Amino acid sequence: MSGFAAQAPSGVVMIRPHHFTPNPETAADNVFQSADGFRTRGEIAEAAFDEVTRMAGRLREAGVTVHLFEDESTATPDSVFPNNWFSTHAGGHVAIYPMFNPSRRRERRSDVIEMLKQRYRVQDVIDYSGLEPDHVFLEGTGAMVFDHIGRIAYAARSNRTNEVALERFCTHFNFEPMLFEAADANGAKIYHTNVIMCVGTEIALVGLDTVVGDARRAEIRERLEETGRIVVPLSHAQIGEFAGNALELRGSRGRFLAISSRAAASLTPEQRESIEAVTPLLALDVPTVELAGGSVRCMLAGIHLAARSGPAASFA
């Protein structure tokens, strides 16, 4: 698989929740969550449902294959963020991850994995969820941001990113782990790496100021620039607007960066110019979903698998 295709998937899994609500269980270590004191619980759920529907439609219009699954459960308030419980990798590999909060463990779905097996060439599924009883957690592409080309897994240490699990995953999937400490402007630990970092084919958006330690900060920037990427530093304020929570996708007209409207609005003209010199932006409105502490990237589980052809590919 070429670098062009390796970093930017052309297919994604999305979950459309029928009973979305910001999860009080995850609020303890996710400072990005916020409350809505103006709408009822039902109105919030309806708005999130509509935001997912519109986002999936716009991605399909851009030429991305979107596998949209319904979630009618009231016991999975964060199901809109499927990227945390599984990831897919070139060569036919799928990983299932151990989740920190008990409510999030209920998000794992056999029908999603079965769809992947039917529609794409899956060679193996490695399930790390058995680490949960040992309090060892690694929340997928929330915990890790992959450089699929350079084979580096960037990971900010947190309750949801355990060093032992990270090492085990990287050994199995042939990534170099790059673990670091990260904190917001108030010193609170960053809960997921993907809120501070987005790595595309030719560009990387990174909240370098969140990285603890001058040496480690410089090393991360150096590794990104070594791979030929333009590094766009993001401020603490921009990280708070979810500017780091973006994902490069490949549509019918080439690569583009999927990002929320809120995040896009926080970028400076100079930053937008740097980004759009290599890939256009697709700004998506998901303000209700963002109440839960995640944004566009969290809503997308990228598919880095080879598609099947023929009868097996007809699985819905």
Side-chain angles (χ1 to χ4, degrees):
M1 181 178 290
S2 69
F4 177 91
Q7 194 66 32
S10 60
V12 297
V13 169
M14 295 183 67
I15 306 294
R16 181 162 51 192
H18 292 231
H19 301 282
F20 169 87
T21 184
N23 188 352
E25 189 179 274
T26 60
D29 68 340
N30 182 352
V31 299
F32 292 82
Q33 288 186 218
S34 56
D36 184 327
F38 301 98
R39 293 180 289 181
T40 67
R41 190 183 182 106
E43 289 170 339
I44 290 171
E46 183 178 358
F49 181 96
D50 291 342
E51 287 171 11
V52 173
T53 302
R54 288 193 298 268
M55 177 170 156
R58 292 198 63 198
L59 292 177
R60 285 169 172 159
E61 288 171 3
V64 174
T65 299
V66 178
H67 302 282
L68 184 60
F69 287 78
E70 306 295 332
D71 179 28
E72 299 182 14
S73 172
T74 59
T76 50
D78 279 328
S79 63
V80 72
F81 303 137
N83 79 302
N84 298 140
W85 69 262
F86 80 96
S87 67
T88 66
H89 301 266
H93 310 296
V94 177
I96 298 175
Y97 294 102
M99 306 289 282
F100 176 62
N101 294 107
S103 65
R104 299 220 58 196
R105 299 168 194 172
R106 295 190 287 267
E107 296 172 25
R108 293 188 289 254
R109 297 174 57 150
S110 59
D111 59 343
V112 171
I113 302 302
E114 187 61 28
M115 181 279 295
L116 292 173
K117 291 177 180 178
Q118 294 294 324
R119 293 287 300 270
Y120 299 89
R121 298 195 177 279
V122 174
Q123 301 299 322
D124 52 42
V125 178
I126 300 181
D127 188 349
Y128 298 99
S129 64
L131 296 172
E132 287 167 352
D134 300 314
H135 305 288
V136 173
F137 310 109
L138 186 69
E139 295 192 344
T141 55
M144 300 174 286
V145 172
F146 295 127
D147 175 354
H148 290 277
I149 303 168
R151 308 304 298 171
I152 302 169
Y154 295 94
R157 193 194 308 270
S158 74
N159 292 334
R160 311 182 192 206
T161 307
N162 178 274
E163 185 172 1
V164 172
L166 175 66
E167 291 282 354
R168 186 174 298 183
F169 168 86
C170 288
T171 298
H172 289 159
F173 284 82
N174 192 32
F175 281 91
E176 174 193 348
M178 195 157 194
L179 187 68
F180 58 93
E181 306 286 340
D184 69 11
N186 297 314
K189 192 177 287 288
I190 297 296
Y191 84 106
H192 271 163
T193 314
N194 75 357
V195 295
I196 62 169
M197 175 181 279
C198 163
V199 177
T201 304
E202 298 179 82
I203 199 160
L205 283 61
V206 191
L208 289 171
D209 290 345
T210 66
V211 179
V212 176
D214 293 342
R216 198 57 165 164
R217 188 181 307 117
E219 187 177 3
I220 289 170
R221 180 164 194 156
E222 181 181 355
R223 293 305 300 273
L224 290 166
E225 290 178 340
E226 279 177 356
T227 58
R229 292 180 172 92
I230 299 167
V231 174
V232 178
L234 301 174
S235 68
H236 282 292
Q238 289 174 321
I239 292 299
E241 297 297 312
F242 294 107
N245 197 238
L247 182 65
E248 186 183 70
L249 297 172
R250 182 162 46 94
S252 53
R253 296 185 178 181
R255 291 178 287 117
F256 64 91
L257 192 67
I259 190 170
S260 79
S261 297
R262 172 181 172 183
S266 76
L267 298 173
T268 67
E270 292 77 17
Q271 289 172 325
R272 288 189 71 115
E273 183 178 356
S274 294
I275 296 166
E276 292 177 333
V278 295
T279 182
L281 293 174
L282 180 64
L284 302 157
D285 292 316
V286 290
T288 306
V289 172
E290 288 175 328
L291 294 173
S295 188
V296 165
R297 197 278 168 262
C298 296
M299 298 168 68
L300 300 171
I303 300 175
H304 297 267
L305 301 168
R308 292 183 180 275
S309 57
S314 64
F315 188 95

